[in-house]
Amino acid sequence: MGEQPIFTTRAHVFQIDPSTKKNWVPASKQAVTVSYFYDVTRNSYRIISVDGAKVIINSTITPNMTFTKTSQKFGQWADSRANTVFGLGFSSEQQLTKFAEKFQEVKEAARLARDKSQEKIETSSNHSQVSSVNGTDDEKASHVGPADAQLKSENDKLKIALTQSAANVKKWEMELQTLRESNARLTTALQESAASLEQWKRQFSICRDENDRLRNKIDELEEQCSEINREKERNTQLKRRIEELESELREKETELKDLRKQSEIIPQLMSECEYVSEKLEAAERDNQNLEDKVRSLKTDIEESKYRQRHLKVELKSFLEVLDGKIDDLHDFRRGLSKLGSDNQ
């Protein structure tokens, strides 16, 4: 209806707690748009902020208002019509300074508009008094001077202004009705939003329960997967153990084959051993006989020195040969004994 934004910024909106009048209550969950609006028809200024479908600031600026900086990034002002105190938290000190400067400009413009409106009202009141004292406009016209003509002209202008004011009043009434209808629609929308919010809460609760159930199921499946992985690892270890045992079994089979081959050779070795033992016994018997002969020869040597010397030479040769054979027999016997012990 002719109302246009003249300055816009973003800030966190707060309102004073109506119960304590000390603590701040957040009116918005996050930074929202805060704008100055100028109404051409009413010649008024407002600060308006909307969070979604909710109007959180609707404050008409009057000359009596004061914007106060309470910190480097926070400012506030009191609105007696709304019976509250608004607070704005900005992201920087520069934004707060610009908003405060604009507030001062708008406040001064509202004061000028009020003074101008009072002047018009006073002028209209004075003209009405002049009209009541001097008679009707037609009577004044019958004996008017230049001053009376000027008063008539101003009176006509005032009438036009009053007519326009009446039209503006009707327009404001229509705008008020529109705002009431908008508020009603907003109230209905808020109620629907609240109902939807409750429904979403119920659905969220159901989804959360379902999510918890699925999370528990996932935990169970993960535990089962862990058990399967552990079982797979055990199976892998068992497979490796089986392969090792199979390798050892193949080695044992190879050793068994070698032992079987050796067992086939053992009878032949045993027969050879028996043959060598028989030869050894025969050699021992021969050795015994030779020793008997030696003793006999020694007796014969004593009987004859000449024969003894001759026999000593022969005996010495014979003994050397005999000792070599005896050593060979002993070595052969030790070899057989060692072979027998190795085959056992």
Side-chain angles (χ1 to χ4, degrees):
M1 301 298 292
E3 196 171 25
Q4 298 178 354
I6 58 176
F7 179 81
T8 300
T9 186
R10 292 185 65 83
H12 290 271
V13 180
F14 299 87
Q15 288 187 8
I16 201 72
D17 190 350
S19 59
T20 63
K21 299 294 183 179
K22 294 181 180 179
N23 300 325
W24 290 105
V25 178
S28 63
K29 297 180 180 179
Q30 57 187 359
V32 295
T33 301
V34 181
S35 302
Y36 285 95
F37 279 82
Y38 173 61
D39 191 341
V40 179
T41 58
R42 298 180 182 179
N43 196 18
S44 62
Y45 298 86
R46 288 195 299 170
I47 299 176
I48 297 176
S49 179
V50 180
D51 185 9
K54 180 181 179 181
V55 179
I56 55 178
I57 298 178
N58 185 7
S59 176
T60 300
I61 305 299
T62 63
N64 298 327
M65 289 184 177
T66 301
F67 185 81
T68 305
K69 295 180 182 180
T70 57
S71 69
Q72 293 182 349
K73 297 181 181 180
F74 194 87
Q76 66 183 48
W77 78 96
D79 190 341
S80 58
R81 296 182 181 180
N83 193 22
T84 187
V85 179
F86 293 102
L88 297 179
F90 296 89
S91 60
S92 65
E93 184 178 1
Q94 184 179 5
Q95 290 181 344
L96 173 61
T97 302
K98 288 182 179 180
F99 188 88
E101 292 174 352
K102 198 65 181 179
F103 192 97
Q104 190 64 30
E105 292 177 6
V106 171
K107 174 183 173 181
E108 185 65 21
R111 186 187 64 78
L112 294 175
R114 184 191 63 181
D115 294 343
K116 188 175 180 181
S117 177
Q118 289 179 352
E119 289 177 359
K120 288 183 178 180
I121 293 173
E122 291 175 356
T123 304
S124 176
S125 176
N126 292 332
H127 287 178
S128 298
Q129 292 176 359
V130 170
S131 176
S132 62
V133 172
N134 296 330
T136 63
D137 293 338
D138 294 337
E139 292 175 349
K140 288 190 293 179
S142 60
H143 45 285
V144 291
D148 294 335
Q150 184 178 359
L151 290 174
K152 182 178 180 182
S153 175
E154 291 179 357
N155 192 20
D156 293 337
K157 290 179 180 179
L158 287 174
K159 288 180 179 180
I160 295 172
L162 289 173
T163 304
Q164 291 178 352
S165 298
N168 290 334
V169 169
K170 291 182 179 180
K171 187 182 295 184
W172 294 340
E173 290 177 352
M174 293 174 61
E175 184 178 354
L176 180 60
Q177 183 63 28
T178 302
L179 289 174
R180 288 176 179 173
E181 292 175 356
S182 298
N183 288 334
R185 287 195 298 269
L186 288 173
T187 302
T188 304
L190 287 174
Q191 292 174 353
E192 293 176 354
S193 298
S196 300
L197 180 61
E198 292 297 328
Q199 183 178 359
W200 280 110
K201 285 182 178 178
R202 288 193 296 271
Q203 292 181 357
F204 176 74
S205 178
I206 294 171
C207 292
R208 183 175 57 190
D209 295 337
E210 182 67 16
N211 189 23
D212 293 338
R213 188 182 66 81
L214 290 174
R215 187 179 290 108
N216 294 331
K217 186 66 176 177
I218 289 172
D219 293 337
E220 293 177 359
L221 292 174
E222 288 179 350
E223 182 64 25
Q224 292 178 2
C225 290
S226 299
E227 184 65 27
I228 291 171
N229 291 331
R230 289 192 293 270
E231 189 66 26
K232 286 182 178 179
E233 186 176 356
R234 286 196 293 269
N235 290 336
T236 303
Q237 294 177 354
L238 289 174
K239 286 181 179 179
R240 287 198 297 268
R241 182 59 181 166
I242 289 171
E243 291 175 355
E244 292 175 356
L245 291 174
E246 289 177 350
S247 177
E248 291 179 1
L249 181 60
R250 286 192 294 269
E251 292 177 357
K252 295 296 182 183
E253 289 178 350
T254 303
E255 292 178 359
L256 182 60
K257 288 180 181 180
D258 294 337
L259 289 174
R260 285 176 180 174
K261 290 180 181 179
Q262 292 178 4
S263 65
E264 293 175 356
I265 299 173
I266 286 174
Q268 182 179 357
L269 294 175
M270 290 297 291
S271 63
E272 291 179 357
C273 184
E274 290 176 357
Y275 174 72
V276 172
S277 296
E278 290 176 357
K279 288 182 69 176
L280 180 60
E281 290 176 357
E284 287 178 351
R285 286 193 299 268
D286 292 338
N287 188 23
Q288 187 66 36
N289 292 330
L290 289 173
E291 288 179 354
D292 292 339
K293 287 180 180 181
V294 168
R295 284 192 297 270
S296 176
L297 288 172
K298 285 180 179 182
T299 303
D300 292 339
I301 288 170
E302 289 177 356
E303 293 177 356
S304 179
K305 290 181 179 181
Y306 176 79
R307 189 179 176 185
Q308 184 178 5
R309 289 192 296 270
H310 181 71
L311 287 173
K312 279 183 178 181
V313 175
E314 292 180 356
L315 182 61
K316 186 177 180 180
S317 287
F318 182 75
L319 287 174
E320 289 176 357
V321 173
L322 183 61
D323 290 336
K325 289 183 178 181
I326 290 172
D327 292 335
D328 292 338
L329 288 174
H330 281 294
D331 293 336
F332 185 72
R333 186 175 182 180
R334 284 195 299 270
L336 290 176
S337 298
K338 184 179 181 181
L339 179 62
S341 62
D342 292 338
N343 290 329
Q344 287 179 356

